Amino acid sequence: PLVHWKADVMTCVAKDMVKQYKKIFKYTKQLGVYNIVQDKDSFIKMREKLDHSWFKNSKTQLIIASGKLAKWKGFDNLINAAKILDEKKLKFKIVIIGGGPEKNSLSKLIKFNNLENKIKILNPVTNTLKYFFNSDIFVLSSKVEGMPNVMIEAMMCGCTVVAVNCPTGPKEIIGKNEYGYLSKLNDPQDLSKNIIKAMNKKISQKKTKKILAKFSADKVI
């Protein structure tokens, strides 16, 4: 805020953020510029060996989520959605990768819902891409974002994405369920419905290739 008035252009990581910033910084030009997510190193990392029993059962849908275990990430809604899936007797496992202040309360919620055999919380890892590459569905349950690069990475690794329509980013990428499934904010019931849709109908990498190209080094630069 102290120096923005000296800038010719302010860049934002999402187009919807441009609209927000225009209201705050009325006398500075804003421009949406995506982060570089897709590069050669990413394709190498995603194919690294993964030694975890949950990622080896092809008969069970593997759902993955990743991020700081904080309230604004909405992992409680994902756990409550998982309870609905479990009540429907669906075969699935959920892995949440992350650490943070809400780890204890989220672990208690998992236990309260008797989902210890369905949901695991893993500590942060240096290479999340190999986990995404070996998963079926990625869920973004956040209540607010900028541009969720982790969602783009998961899509790049072949996951079908289910994301909450939070400000900002998910809707900009998924559109009208064209490249994934968009859910209502703070609605575990709707989130569970969209996870089921993703279970039954995956989004092909051939289709997502078009949107992912926007996050390549060549395109961004």
Side-chain angles (χ1 to χ4, degrees), residues 45-180:
K45 288 179 180 179
M46 69 173 69
R47 288 172 172 80
E48 287 182 6
K49 185 179 179 182
L50 176 58
D51 187 19
H52 192 293
S53 60
W54 276 25
F55 292 83
K56 295 178 181 179
N57 189 351
S58 59
K59 294 181 181 179
T60 301
Q61 299 256 10
L62 202 292
I63 301 165
I64 194 155
S66 179
K68 185 176 182 179
L69 303 183
K71 287 185 178 181
W72 61 274
K73 281 293 186 178
F75 289 121
D76 54 334
N77 287 327
L78 174 57
I79 293 167
N80 289 327
K83 178 64 174 176
I84 296 169
L85 299 177
D86 190 49
E87 289 170 351
K88 293 180 181 292
K89 309 296 182 184
L90 296 172
K91 292 183 178 181
F92 71 95
K93 300 279 189 183
I94 296 177
V95 171
I96 300 172
I97 300 174
E102 290 297 302
K103 184 174 182 178
N104 189 46
S105 62
L106 291 172
S107 297
K108 287 180 178 179
L109 184 60
I110 292 168
K111 188 174 182 180
F112 177 79
N113 286 318
N114 297 314
L115 293 170
E116 296 101 316
N117 65 333
K118 291 286 187 179
I119 304 175
K120 282 189 184 297
I121 297 177
L122 302 184
N123 291 327
V125 297
T126 55
N127 180 10
T128 54
L129 296 180
K130 65 180 180 180
Y131 289 85
F132 298 160
F133 186 72
N134 288 280
S135 301
D136 301 295
I137 297 165
F138 175 86
V139 176
L140 183 88
S141 54
S142 301
K143 299 175 183 180
V144 64
E145 284 283 350
M147 172 54 72
N149 289 338
V150 67
M151 185 183 83
I152 306 301
E153 289 175 342
M155 192 181 288
M156 179 180 67
C157 291
C159 290
T160 293
V161 168
V162 177
V164 169
N165 187 16
C166 68
T168 58
K171 187 178 181 180
E172 191 171 320
I173 301 306
I174 291 175
K176 295 180 179 179
N177 292 342
E178 187 177 1
Y179 300 109

Side-chain angles (χ1 to χ4, degrees), residues 163-165 182-188 190-191 194:
V164 169
N165 187 16
L182 209 57
S183 299
K184 297 174 184 177
L185 191 63
N186 292 320
D187 192 334
D190 191 59
L191 186 59
N194 280 293

